[in-house]
């Protein structure tokens, strides 16, 4: 059975369709993404560039096979199907930092119609430290700042940065099996800790990182020069010791560090607000009604994190904007 032409969309096909459409005379640009979560993230970004001349349609690569993932989103690019009317929007993962050391990295860096996050993934932006207090407010409707997220994430990043360079070093050298992302994640996991005593948790982390670095130095006694060279190059790419958390594996950051921390902070803020309501209530009926109204208005931590859009000031985000503007200037 012959396939419909629309089953094999290309930028050229969409460009031709644009000439036939009467939808306000606007040019359609299809943006393929990796997963359902990415649709909202990239729509929020791309919609800022829509006007009376063009609009974006963000979608998964296939409506029939439900194919997802980075490779699926990039299939169009690999097959030379991208162009000014079709782009791919993907997570950078380590590919930005690998700087062409792998085929995937070369595709991302050289194809002008592939936009990547520069940070490891969209989850890293959702966990952008300066935005986390506002997320707590969205969840609990309590604006009491009880935890310094920016200081914690900065301290955390400084501690793990030397080990992060070692992880990239292994991937650049092709010896990633000797120190995988999973190995790195296992070391930099903080675990459950009391937010009021975060320094103790960071001290334990510092010890684990030092122990692992000592092991890696023993295994790679001749790596000092190449390590220092890579460290300098990584910083020239925009990664600083203070922002390392934006470039580690996004799912690990989201699931193992930020979400558990946010839940504990939000639980405290939630209880604080409930106590305020209880103390201010004149009688039990008022207390019950106010608590029901308050609890009805609060939200889920994970959901609010995934809907967090206050990351526009994150250092790597400016590079995404430049890539979008470059593509639009060529349309």
């Amino acid at each position: 059975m012959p396939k419909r032409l629309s089953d094999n969309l290309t930028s050229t096909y969409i460009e031709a369709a644009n000439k036939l459409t009467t939808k306000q005379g606007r040019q359609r640009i299809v943006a393929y993404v990796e997963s359902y979560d990415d649709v909202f993230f990239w729509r929020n970004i791309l919609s800022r560039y829509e006007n009376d001349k063009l609009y974006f349609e963000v979608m998964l690569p296939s409506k029939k096979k439900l194919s997802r993932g980075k490779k699926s989103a990039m299939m169009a690019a690999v097959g030379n199907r991208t162009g000014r009317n079709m782009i791919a929007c993907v997570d950078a993962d380590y590919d930005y930092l690998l700087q062409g050391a792998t085929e995937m990295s070369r595709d991302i860096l050289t194809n002008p119609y592939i936009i990547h996050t520069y940070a490891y993934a969209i989850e890293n932006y959702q966990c952008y430290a300066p935005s986390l207090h506002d997320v707590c407010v969205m969840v609990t409707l309590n604006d009491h700042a009880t935890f310094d997220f920016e200081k914690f994430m900065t301290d955390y990043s400084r501690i793990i940065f030397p080990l992060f360079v070692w992880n990239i070093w292994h991937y650049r050298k092709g010896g990633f099996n000797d120190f995988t992302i999973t190995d790195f994640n296992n070391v930099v996991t903080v675990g459950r800790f009391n937010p009021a005593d975060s320094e103790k948790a960071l001290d334990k982390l510092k010890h684990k990182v030092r122990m692992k670095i000592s092991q890696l130095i023993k295994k790679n006694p001749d790596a000092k020069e190449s390590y220092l060279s890579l460290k300098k190059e990584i910083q020239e790419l925009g990664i600083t010791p203070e922002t390392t958390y934006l470039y580690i594996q996004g799912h690990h950051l989201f699931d193992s560090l930020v979400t558990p921390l946010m839940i504990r902070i939000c639980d405290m803020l939630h209880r604080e607000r409930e106590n305020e309501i209880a103390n201010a209530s004149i009688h039990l009926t008022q207390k019950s009604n106010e608590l029901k109204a308050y609890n009805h208005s609060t939200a889920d931590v994970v959901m609010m994190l995934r809907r967090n859009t206050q990351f526009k000031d994150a250092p790597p985000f400016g590079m995404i904007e430049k890539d979008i503007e470059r593509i639009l200037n060529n349309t």
Side-chain angles (χ1 to χ4, degrees):
M1 181 177 179
K3 294 183 178 180
R4 295 177 301 171
L5 182 58
S6 58
D7 290 337
N8 294 285
L9 290 178
T10 66
S11 178
T12 303
Y13 173 85
I14 296 173
E15 183 177 5
N18 281 335
K19 295 178 181 179
L20 297 176
T21 186
T22 59
K23 183 179 180 179
Q24 301 175 358
R26 292 198 298 169
Q27 174 185 350
R28 178 172 70 128
I29 300 177
V30 170
Y32 283 138
V33 298
E34 298 183 45
S35 70
Y36 294 113
D37 288 333
D38 296 69
V39 173
F40 175 76
F41 177 86
W42 288 104
R43 160 112 305 261
N44 176 258
I45 294 173
L46 295 173
S47 62
R48 299 164 57 205
Y49 296 91
E50 294 181 330
N51 51 43
D52 59 352
K53 294 183 179 179
L54 65 87
Y55 70 99
F56 291 92
E57 184 175 357
V58 183
M59 63 174 69
L60 295 180
S62 174
K63 294 181 179 179
K64 288 188 173 183
K65 298 180 180 179
L66 297 179
S67 59
R68 292 183 289 170
K70 189 171 185 176
K71 290 184 178 180
S72 295
M74 290 179 60
M75 280 295 291
V78 174
N80 294 318
R81 294 167 61 194
T82 51
R84 60 185 183 180
N85 292 100
M86 179 182 287
I87 63 176
C89 301
V90 300
D91 289 336
D93 300 326
Y94 270 0
D95 292 317
Y96 171 56
L97 298 178
L98 291 180
Q99 287 293 293
T102 64
E103 183 179 357
M104 179 77 78
S105 178
R106 288 191 294 272
D107 286 337
I108 283 181
L109 295 178
T110 60
N111 191 304
Y113 297 105
I114 294 178
I115 299 174
H116 64 86
T117 52
Y118 288 94
Y120 190 98
I122 68 171
E123 287 85 1
N124 301 74
Y125 284 108
Q126 292 162 349
C127 296
Y128 182 49
S131 72
L132 294 181
H133 172 68
D134 286 350
V135 175
C136 285
V137 175
M138 289 191 291
V139 172
T140 67
L141 305 179
N142 187 343
D143 197 20
H144 183 195
T146 61
F147 187 80
D148 192 338
F149 289 105
E150 292 187 57
K151 183 180 184 304
F152 177 80
M153 296 307 295
T154 295
D155 292 343
Y156 174 81
S157 292
R158 285 173 177 158
I159 292 170
I160 68 173
F161 178 72
L163 189 62
F164 175 74
V165 177
W166 271 112
N167 197 212
I168 301 300
W169 184 89
H170 280 81
Y171 275 76
R172 285 275 194 102
K173 297 291 184 180
F176 54 87
N177 287 327
D178 296 325
F179 187 39
T180 65
I181 290 180
T182 300
D183 296 331
F184 173 79
N185 290 341
N186 288 337
V187 177
V188 302
T189 296
V190 176
R192 185 179 177 86
F193 66 94
N194 183 353
D197 195 17
S198 60
E199 290 297 327
K200 183 177 180 181
L202 291 176
D203 285 341
K204 290 182 179 180
L205 172 65
K206 192 179 299 183
H207 176 71
K208 288 197 299 178
V209 168
R210 286 175 177 171
M211 291 290 291
K212 186 60 181 181
I213 289 176
S214 179
Q215 294 175 9
L216 293 173
I217 291 176
K218 289 180 180 179
K219 289 184 178 180
N220 304 278
D222 301 322
K224 182 176 180 179
E225 184 177 343
S226 58
Y227 172 89
L228 292 176
S229 177
L230 176 60
K231 180 180 177 181
K232 180 181 178 181
E233 181 184 343
I234 285 176
Q235 290 179 293
E236 289 174 347
L237 291 174
I239 295 84
T240 67
E242 293 75 22
T243 59
T244 315
Y245 76 96
L246 291 173
Y247 301 91
I248 68 175
Q249 190 178 56
H251 285 297
H252 178 78
L253 176 71
F254 191 101
D255 296 333
S256 300
L257 179 59
V258 174
T259 294
L261 175 60
M262 291 283 288
I263 288 175
R264 299 204 72 182
I265 298 297
C266 288
D267 282 347
M268 289 189 292
L269 291 172
H270 191 94
R271 289 194 299 270
E272 181 181 83
R273 179 65 78 220
E274 287 186 325
N275 289 335
E276 290 175 356
I277 292 173
N279 293 331
S281 299
I282 299 175
H283 47 73
L284 290 177
T285 301
Q286 183 184 43
K287 175 184 174 181
S288 176
N289 291 338
E290 289 296 325
L291 285 175
K292 286 180 181 178
Y294 171 65
N295 289 321
H296 181 72
S297 299
T298 56
D300 177 71
V301 170
V302 173
M303 181 63 71
M304 290 298 100
L305 275 173
R306 295 205 179 280
R307 295 295 180 265
N308 181 18
T309 60
Q310 299 185 54
F311 48 74
K312 304 300 192 302
D313 293 331
F317 185 76
M319 293 187 282
I320 295 179
E321 293 179 310
K322 289 181 180 179
D323 286 345
I324 297 173
E325 291 166 2
R326 171 181 47 77
I327 288 175
L328 294 182
N329 287 335
N330 291 329
T331 59

